[in-house]
Amino acid sequence: MNTPYHRLGDYIREVNIRNRDLKVTNLLGMSISKKFIPSIANTIGTDMATYIKRNQFAYVPVTSRNGEKITIALLNDDDEAIISRAYTVFEITDKEKLLPEYLMMWFRRPEFDRYARFHSHGSAREVFDWDELCNVMLPVPTLSRQRELVAEYEALTRRIRLNEQMIAKLEETAQALYRKMFVEGVDKERLPEGWRMGKLGEVCEIKYGKAHEGIPNGLIPIYGSGGIMRYGNKSLCTKESVLIPRKGSLNNIMYINEPFWTVDTMFYTEMKQLHVAKFVYFNLKKYDFLSMDAGSAVPSMTTAILNQIELVIPPLDILEDFDKKMSIIFNNTKIKNKETNKLKELLSLLLGKIGKE
């Protein structure tokens, strides 16, 4: 399709309405994920009287120190709200020509973020001002085509949201099962027959990750403390393992059940007995490792601390039963995560497609 491009300023106008009688108390902020969020700002002595209503937009003109994204959002979950005076509010002048939801799709494109950053100007802080926003060029297809694209986008985002809710429920179920079997009603002073107290070092060996520089690209995930950093063609471990950050985000414990590499700021574990990996994972998840930090300026962890962590060790048959139940939950979570990632890829392709209409 060869939809002609139009100047955005021909379709929008700035809105500046004050909440002078203070009837509206729903205070919202905005995130760089381009959504309105409940504000936690301290508003004492602050003028938060800028008023916004459904189907209106707000954006933050300042783009510097903003993660290379422009903060912009469409209000569509509330009828009205108040926001900071630092936000610029605007609306579409004729919704029979341009749908707010379609325009918001355009704003979500990475290309728009790059455009806004490139056209920002200033010294102490860079600003993408109202005139620059109005000069944005975008394709404006027929209203029916806009509706089709919006319907596709909403179908994908709805499916992603449902998957994320399901993943959260599965995680809650797993946590509840662990607590029921190994925490609630378990008295460390009077353990059931066959149970005993032990140390983490008795059930797994804690090893250091290795540098990943120089590893060619491939299909094997390379993990850092924040998750997958990239993919390489070598694996450091091919068995079930629990990853523990050695520096930085110490509480981000990860369970892995596929070949992987992990970097030198991480520990990984090799299990010394069967059916114990998921048990170790949930034992470590309950700790606040930041409070056990052995570092100074940068939070850090040591093998000495980890090896001495106490845990209740049940008999093998109970560990096997727990492992089987958790495997079902983990496999379902893995399927949902893969599906969600594919849906997000489709979402990205759809946003790219509207630039080629």
Side-chain angles (χ1 to χ4, degrees):
M1 299 178 69
N2 293 311
T3 303
Y5 276 58
H6 296 263
R7 180 176 175 271
L8 180 57
D10 296 334
Y11 294 87
I12 61 174
R13 65 185 169 207
E14 191 171 356
V15 178
N16 189 2
I17 302 175
R18 299 299 177 189
N19 184 37
R20 301 194 185 282
D21 53 7
L22 302 181
K23 285 185 178 180
V24 181
T25 58
N26 181 25
L27 176 62
L28 299 178
M30 286 194 295
S31 69
I32 60 171
S33 60
K34 302 188 179 181
K35 296 178 181 178
F36 281 102
I37 56 175
S39 177
I40 58 173
N42 181 359
T43 60
I44 297 174
T46 305
D47 181 2
M48 305 295 283
T50 300
Y51 173 83
I52 185 171
K53 62 181 181 180
R54 185 180 293 273
N55 286 329
Q56 289 181 339
F57 297 81
Y59 89 101
V60 181
V62 177
T63 59
S64 52
R65 302 182 300 278
N66 204 26
E68 298 302 313
K69 290 179 177 288
I70 181 168
T71 306
I72 191 167
L74 169 67
L75 185 68
N76 53 13
D77 291 330
D78 297 275
D79 289 327
E80 56 188 10
I82 51 174
I83 56 177
S84 168
R85 292 185 65 186
Y87 301 163
T88 299
V89 179
F90 64 95
E91 65 183 6
I92 293 173
T93 54
D94 188 348
K95 296 181 183 63
E96 293 301 313
K97 293 181 179 178
L98 181 62
L99 293 176
E101 296 84 0
Y102 173 80
L103 178 55
M104 191 62 222
M105 286 177 65
W106 183 263
F107 291 149
R108 289 192 179 100
R109 301 173 75 242
E111 293 83 356
F112 174 73
D113 287 319
R114 288 195 289 270
Y115 176 93
R117 287 291 293 127
F118 182 78
H119 287 86
S120 298
H121 48 82
S123 53
R125 58 180 188 171
E126 295 179 344
V127 174
F128 185 64
D129 62 28
W130 175 252
D131 289 338
E132 291 290 357
L133 179 64
C134 288
N135 285 331
V136 168
M137 301 295 291
L138 76 161
V140 183
T142 63
L143 202 63
S144 60
R145 180 58 180 157
Q146 291 180 49
R147 290 193 179 108
E148 288 175 7
L149 292 166
V150 169
E152 286 183 55
Y153 181 86
E154 290 180 346
L156 288 170
T157 53
R158 186 163 53 249
R159 185 65 178 271
I160 290 170
R161 188 164 56 251
L162 288 172
N163 274 7
E164 289 174 343
Q165 291 171 354
M166 178 63 73
I167 291 167
K169 288 292 183 184
L170 288 168
E171 290 174 350
E172 288 175 12
T173 301
Q175 289 284 352
L177 181 60
Y178 168 75
R179 289 195 300 270
K180 181 179 180 181
M181 292 185 69
F182 304 114
V183 179
E184 296 170 0
V186 175
D187 184 350
K188 294 180 180 180
E189 303 298 324
R190 298 179 180 82
L191 291 173
E193 185 177 351
W195 293 53
R196 66 183 179 86
M197 293 301 299
K199 306 283 187 182
L200 182 64
E202 295 178 45
V203 296
C204 67
E205 182 179 357
I206 298 165
K207 296 188 171 185
Y208 286 86
K210 295 183 179 180
H212 69 102
E213 292 80 3
I215 296 178
N217 292 333
L219 300 175
I220 296 171
I222 298 176
Y223 286 89
S225 61
I228 296 175
M229 297 171 60
R230 67 180 186 92
Y231 293 84
N233 68 350
K234 292 183 180 180
S235 61
L236 192 60
C237 180
T238 59
K239 300 177 181 178
E240 273 187 298
S241 184
V242 178
L243 305 189
I244 308 160
R246 190 164 67 87
K247 293 183 181 295
S249 305
L250 300 183
N251 286 331
N252 192 21
I253 309 299
M254 290 172 271
Y255 167 83
I256 311 294
N257 191 17
E258 62 181 351
F260 69 90
W261 188 281
T262 191
V263 299
D264 50 4
T265 56
M266 299 285 290
F267 293 115
Y268 69 99
T269 57
E270 287 189 355
M271 303 304 150
K272 295 180 179 179
Q273 65 180 74
L274 296 172
H275 312 300
V276 77
K278 299 178 187 69
F279 175 72
V280 167
Y281 168 71
F282 282 99
N283 265 281
L284 293 179
K285 284 283 285 184
K286 70 185 181 183
Y287 285 99
D288 179 9
F289 283 99
L290 285 173
S291 66
M292 302 159 65
D293 171 26
S296 53
V298 178
S300 60
M301 184 51 56
T302 68
T303 53
I305 292 174
L306 292 171
N307 281 324
Q308 293 304 309
I309 288 178
E310 280 195 342
L311 65 164
V312 174
I313 304 177
L316 183 60
D317 60 330
I318 292 177
L319 283 171
E320 184 176 4
D321 179 49
F322 178 72
D323 186 56
K324 287 179 179 178
K325 290 173 179 174
M326 281 297 163
S327 292
I328 296 171
I329 296 173
F330 279 30
N331 287 338
N332 276 286
T333 301
K334 187 175 182 179
I335 291 169
K336 288 296 178 184
N337 274 318
K338 283 187 174 180
E339 184 180 328
T340 299
N341 289 335
K342 289 295 181 184
L343 288 167
K344 287 180 177 179
E345 288 177 17
L346 289 173
L347 203 62
S348 180
L349 290 172
L350 177 60
L351 291 176
K353 184 166 70 174
I354 68 173
K356 301 173 184 178
E357 284 291 308

